[in-house]
Amino acid sequence: MNCEAVKTCLDLLMDGELTDQQRRDMEAHGRQCPECAEAIRQTKQLKALMEQLEPEVDVPLAAQAKWRGAVREAARQSRKKRLYRWISSAAAAVVVLVGVGLALNARVAPKGVETTQAVLERAVESEAVEEADYADEAEEAAVAYEAEAAEAPARAPAKAAGMSAVAAENAVIEADGAAACDEDDLIEINRSPDAGMCAAVAQKTAAYEATIRVKNVDAACRQIEDIAREYEGEADVRRLEDGGASIYLTLDAVNASDLIAAIAHLNAGEDALELPVQPDDQVLQIMLTVVGE
Amino acid sequence: MVVKTEAEVTGPMEESRLIQRAMGGDAASFNTLMEAHERRMYAVALRMCGNHEDAQDCLQEAMLRIYRAISGFKAQSSFSTWVYRITMNACLDELRKRKSRPSTSLDGLLDSGWSPVDGGESPEGHAMRREMRKMLRQYIGELPEDMRAAVVLRDIEGYSYEEIAGILDANMGTVKSRISRGRERLREKIGGRPELFDRPDV
């Protein structure tokens, strides 16, 4: 394999379509050619990184409301336009009929005009009824949408279904003296009945990550440390090269909502801080990234 | 409650029924139809624009264009390809419009909101990975628009080359070369930051 062929293989590698034979040939060439070896290594790295970027993202509620509102408005406008078109063509027909009637000066003309007007009125009425129906429909949709929006926080636990899995994985099974175990926390584990020595306490640990934006990173870090202390938690603060910070918080879940509220207070960013804490979470680990404005 | 994927919400029958009703101007059916595409459309817009504010504008513009054009949609082509073509065009138009203005902030590319993480990861590892993702998003944002569109659709959204050709209205050869060159540029950029990207511990 030559350098040019390796180049083609790099794309196949990214696409996940490299055959075993091609892979072997490519690696063999790489052992002879440092330049290609470097390109192969970087390609693998790029592929791994790309796979970490999400193909779907949560659409902020504001964005959802924005396009739905715009479409609703467009639908209303096009209805209105259709109604106007109807009226103006009907009105034109009346003008023509009146004109024809006058020109002929026929006795039947007034009756004809009356009839046309009656038809026009009925048409306008029926469009108006339809419009009213549509308004009801739009309102229903709006109500349904708002209900959905209101439901969103309730949905958070469901969204965090993956989280529960993480939490379950993280469940720390601590062997402990039976005397120290609360009966509710006992977990039946496979053990011989006569072992009888210890039961296990499952401490359910859930991990989350979040980003907050602040004016002054230093001050915010100090405040978060204070807040953590206040709620009997731990804060491990690491400063990052870019001036921000990464804070690793560990705390008891019972204090979570108060701590989150206190941190949310510091956040100048737009994204609301909501933590989908599960009722059975006991220990929370929060990876907080602090970004300066 | 399970988050529905595109395929679950709109089986072919359900999708064509909704398309028919949306063609008649039924906004409620249109909304239901588009809910299945919204998350991916937004992801594409976010990768193309680099910030939430512009991505929201693009999503709205794309939805409006689709709503206005849906009565002319030809059932023989794939609805999803058609939808992403309009989305991509809305993004490219928006980017062209904004070219005269100062470049948009890439800060919006930060991860946002709460999400579960691997509990076993060290804080340093976590911060580094976050930093790497952030830089990669920035590098993607620095690619020329045509190249960026092709790379985003292929390497993040996972479309086939053929679908991408349909979405970008370009031939396969052009699409392949844009993707290949785009990847090469990204590799070079990553290679230029070994202190960030070459860490065996992450």
Side-chain angles (χ1 to χ4, degrees):
Chain A
M1 192 175 271
N2 57 23
C3 298
E4 202 52 40
V6 168
K7 237 179 147 188
T8 313
C9 284
L10 295 181
D11 278 316
L12 291 172
L13 175 65
M14 283 298 287
D15 293 328
E17 284 166 11
L18 202 61
T19 64
D20 288 345
Q21 185 60 50
Q22 283 168 321
R23 184 181 296 273
R24 278 193 296 272
D25 292 349
M26 183 182 81
E27 302 285 358
H29 174 88
R31 282 190 287 274
Q32 317 290 320
C33 171
E35 215 168 290
C36 284
E38 180 65 5
I40 294 167
R41 198 184 60 79
Q42 282 169 358
T43 303
K44 287 178 181 165
Q45 205 173 22
L46 179 64
K47 184 174 166 62
L49 278 168
M50 282 292 203
E51 279 162 4
Q52 287 177 26
L53 299 183
E54 343 41 36
E56 284 191 356
V57 298
D58 283 336
V59 185
L61 280 178
Q64 293 181 17
K66 208 168 154 183
W67 78 255
R68 281 174 175 77
V71 166
R72 207 176 300 144
E73 180 60 23
R76 212 173 60 83
Q77 291 295 336
S78 81
R79 287 232 149 208
K80 238 188 201 167
K81 227 186 256 171
R82 279 218 307 262
L83 182 62
Y84 288 149
R85 255 205 312 272
W86 225 101
I87 292 173
S88 54
S89 57
V94 171
V95 170
V96 169
L97 279 177
V98 169
V100 169
L102 286 177
L104 292 174
N105 197 15
R107 284 180 171 238
V108 288
K111 204 179 163 193
V113 169
E114 249 175 49
T115 314
T116 315
Q117 270 174 338
V119 169
L120 173 61
E121 273 162 20
R122 268 207 308 279
V124 169
E125 254 170 42
S126 80
E127 269 288 340
V129 168
E130 219 183 305
E131 177 85 345
D133 279 352
Y134 178 69
D136 286 348
E137 207 177 279
E139 203 174 316
E140 265 170 40
V143 169
Y145 175 68
E146 271 154 28
E148 205 182 306
E151 205 187 282
R155 232 191 287 155
K159 203 179 89 184
M163 187 280 310
S164 337
V166 171
E169 272 176 31
N170 292 348
V172 181
I173 311 283
E174 282 182 355
D176 206 342
C181 298
D182 186 329
E183 220 176 295
D184 287 340
D185 290 330
L186 289 183
I187 284 189
E188 280 302 317
I189 51 173
N190 287 332
R191 56 192 164 95
S192 59
D194 54 349
M197 259 297 287
C198 77
V201 178
Q203 217 180 356
K204 197 160 169 289
T205 304
Y208 303 91
E209 61 173 318
T211 301
I212 63 168
R213 289 168 184 282
V214 298
K215 287 215 164 57
N216 181 333
V217 177
D218 282 318
C221 288
R222 277 198 300 278
Q223 274 169 298
I224 290 168
E225 280 179 35
D226 289 342
I227 293 168
R229 252 198 301 282
E230 197 180 324
Y231 293 106
E232 298 171 339
E234 281 169 29
D236 183 4
V237 178
R238 315 280 164 112
R239 295 306 304 264
L240 303 177
E241 269 175 27
D242 62 2
S246 185
I247 303 179
Y248 193 62
L249 285 161
T250 310
L251 75 148
D252 197 324
V254 293
N255 291 328
S257 56
D258 292 342
L259 179 130
I260 298 308
I263 293 175
H265 197 65
L266 299 173
N267 184 25
E270 278 177 17
D271 290 317
L273 291 185
E274 282 172 2
L275 190 61
V277 179
Q278 303 287 295
D280 56 345
D281 283 347
Q282 291 174 336
V283 175
L284 292 182
Q285 286 177 345
I286 301 173
M287 215 75 93
L288 191 67
T289 302
V290 182
V291 182
E293 277 199 317
Chain B
M1 198 172 113
V2 178
V3 177
K4 292 174 186 165
T5 66
E6 193 177 311
E8 281 167 342
V9 177
T10 50
M13 284 299 286
E14 174 71 357
E15 187 180 75
S16 65
R17 197 176 58 84
L18 288 170
I19 293 172
Q20 283 303 323
R21 294 176 61 173
M23 278 174 161
D26 176 3
S29 293
F30 178 81
N31 287 357
T32 312
L33 176 66
M34 296 316 293
E35 268 161 23
H37 299 280
E38 187 181 26
R39 285 161 58 88
R40 268 185 116 172
M41 287 170 72
Y42 192 70
V44 168
L46 192 57
R47 301 291 166 245
M48 288 304 291
C49 299
N51 67 74
H52 285 283
E53 196 186 324
D54 291 349
Q56 286 188 19
D57 289 347
C58 287
L59 180 68
Q60 178 182 335
E61 178 60 24
M63 288 291 191
L64 274 177
R65 287 186 192 184
I66 293 166
Y67 181 74
R68 292 191 184 117
I70 197 165
S71 56
F73 170 69
K74 305 276 188 296
Q76 55 264 46
S77 59
S78 146
F79 182 67
S80 122
T81 303
W82 184 74
V83 160
Y84 293 104
R85 174 156 61 213
I86 294 177
T87 306
M88 197 47 99
N89 284 339
C91 292
L92 293 172
D93 289 349
E94 189 69 21
L95 288 169
R96 268 172 221 134
K97 217 162 55 185
R98 278 160 206 252
K99 233 174 201 165
S100 50
R101 299 192 347 211
S103 71
T104 49
S105 154
L106 287 158
D107 292 348
L109 290 172
L110 281 163
D111 300 326
S112 62
W114 298 93
S115 53
V117 293
D118 177 2
E121 193 175 31
S122 71
E124 291 90 346
H126 176 79
M128 287 307 293
R129 280 155 70 102
R130 184 184 276 274
E131 186 65 20
M132 282 166 151
R133 284 201 298 268
K134 184 179 153 189
M135 283 317 292
L136 178 62
R137 291 193 193 105
Q138 180 172 327
Y139 294 154
I140 293 170
E142 286 166 6
L143 293 176
E145 282 145 22
D146 290 348
M147 223 181 255
R148 193 190 320 162
V151 169
V152 165
L153 291 172
R154 178 68 204 138
D155 289 336
I156 302 178
E157 300 300 321
Y159 284 99
S160 71
Y161 285 93
E162 200 176 352
E163 285 168 318
I164 297 170
I167 292 171
L168 298 180
D169 208 8
N171 66 44
M172 287 270 275
T174 310
V175 167
K176 279 190 174 167
S177 113
R178 279 182 199 164
I179 292 172
S180 188
R181 281 183 296 131
R183 287 166 173 172
E184 200 175 331
R185 287 204 195 183
L186 292 177
R187 279 203 305 271
E188 281 164 10
K189 284 174 193 275
I190 287 175
R193 288 286 304 273
E195 79 290 356
L196 176 61
F197 289 100
D198 288 353
R199 289 173 55 107
D201 54 321
V202 180

